[in-house]
Amino acid sequence: MVFYESQRYEEALESFKKSAKLFDGADQKKLSKRAEAYQYCSKGYMDMLAADFLEAIRGFGKANVTFSTEGFSEEAKQARTIQAQTQGELAKEKARKGEFIESARLYESAGALYQTTGLEMDAAQARARSYVQRAAAMESDFDKAYYLEKAVEEFKKGKEDPTRYEAHALYMRAKALISARENVKEVIDLLAKAHEKYNKVGNTSQTEKVKLLLKDLTEQVKTRPAEFGI
């Protein structure tokens, strides 16, 4: 445990292996299984450090099952927490590769694991990121807005600043309404709010996009008012 707690995982792994055999030989099955579970954790951390997140997830998953089966509930909870964190790391990797749906699934799973450990804020933040990834996977502006709005709800539950995603949601909702030729006044209101929130987070490129969209909308209404019910 000294090796494990000081992050000397290779040495910890070897010691846990020996410990498991000695406990097993002394007919201490429960303690042997506990040492076995810590082997999985040690290997899991080694895989994390090597950025082999999938193997790390499997390792912490095995540790969780072994700890739980033998009644080591606190250690099982710790294994689940690290498993959830590792799934979050793999989700980021998938997102960078453009695998948004797979990223969303990993965040969803991480959220479920956090929920079982009582980490409500972490669970909400993971769910929020899952919705962000689903939004990224959508082609329709309506769908993007829907998932971003869901993400904002979860970010608020997780006590994380949702301003950036609120701005994106407002922007996408406005674009969707423009495409549907619906409620110009609502569109202008949405764009004004989006502009304010983009300014708040310092996203100058998006504030410019909002300005251009508003300018384009004004021109469309002037030249084709009937299409907008005016």
Side-chain angles (χ1 to χ4, degrees):
M1 288 304 295
V2 170
F3 286 143
Y4 184 77
E5 288 167 3
S6 59
Q7 300 179 9
R8 294 161 65 181
Y9 298 118
E10 287 187 37
E11 293 162 290
L13 178 60
E14 291 307 311
S15 292
F16 283 130
K17 282 180 181 178
K18 292 174 185 176
S19 180
K21 286 179 182 178
L22 289 168
F23 278 128
D24 192 44
D27 203 26
Q28 294 286 335
K29 302 293 183 185
K30 191 179 180 74
L31 293 176
S32 179
K33 284 292 184 181
R34 180 172 180 261
E36 181 185 314
Y38 272 113
Q39 288 179 56
Y40 296 136
C41 288
S42 299
K43 182 62 166 58
Y45 276 117
M46 288 165 66
D47 288 328
M48 276 186 72
L49 291 169
D52 191 345
F53 300 120
L54 188 57
E55 279 303 309
I57 289 165
R58 288 171 180 158
F60 290 115
K62 287 178 182 178
N64 170 43
V65 171
T66 307
F67 280 135
S68 298
T69 303
E70 298 303 322
F72 296 104
S73 57
E74 283 304 308
E75 284 154 314
K77 187 186 292 187
Q78 289 170 10
R80 287 198 302 276
T81 301
I82 302 301
Q83 184 183 356
Q85 291 171 357
T86 310
Q87 287 183 186
E89 291 302 314
L90 183 57
K92 289 178 191 174
E93 192 176 90
K94 294 290 184 183
R96 285 193 291 268
K97 293 177 180 178
E99 298 174 30
F100 302 120
I101 294 298
E102 187 58 31
S103 177
R105 287 172 181 156
L106 284 161
Y107 276 126
E108 283 170 11
S109 180
L113 283 170
Y114 281 129
Q115 197 77 40
T116 67
T117 64
L119 295 171
E120 300 290 341
M121 287 173 57
D122 294 273
Q125 289 172 11
R127 289 194 298 269
R129 283 173 172 75
S130 172
Y131 286 129
V132 169
Q133 297 308 317
R134 289 200 177 275
M138 297 297 110
E139 293 188 9
S140 157
D141 289 332
F142 271 118
D143 290 336
K144 285 182 182 293
Y146 169 78
Y147 283 114
L148 286 168
E149 287 159 3
K150 297 284 282 183
V152 168
E153 291 174 18
E154 294 297 336
F155 276 125
K156 287 178 179 177
K157 290 178 189 176
K159 308 298 182 186
E160 189 169 342
D161 183 9
T163 307
R164 173 188 171 195
Y165 300 101
E166 284 179 314
H168 287 332
L170 290 163
Y171 179 66
M172 289 302 170
R173 179 68 62 187
K175 283 182 69 181
L177 290 175
I178 291 170
S179 298
R181 296 294 190 262
E182 292 182 15
N183 203 329
V184 176
K185 288 183 180 179
E186 184 181 354
V187 170
I188 292 170
D189 183 54
L190 289 169
L191 289 174
K193 288 177 180 176
H195 187 273
E196 180 186 345
K197 290 185 185 296
Y198 280 132
N199 264 333
K200 187 176 178 180
V201 296
N203 193 333
T204 53
S205 64
Q206 279 298 123
T207 56
E208 288 304 311
K209 283 184 181 180
V210 171
K211 286 179 185 177
L212 288 172
L213 186 59
L214 191 54
K215 183 180 178 181
D216 183 56
L217 174 63
T218 304
E219 289 298 317
Q220 288 185 56
V221 171
K222 281 181 181 178
T223 56
R224 303 191 298 277
E227 289 184 19
F228 294 89
I230 297 173

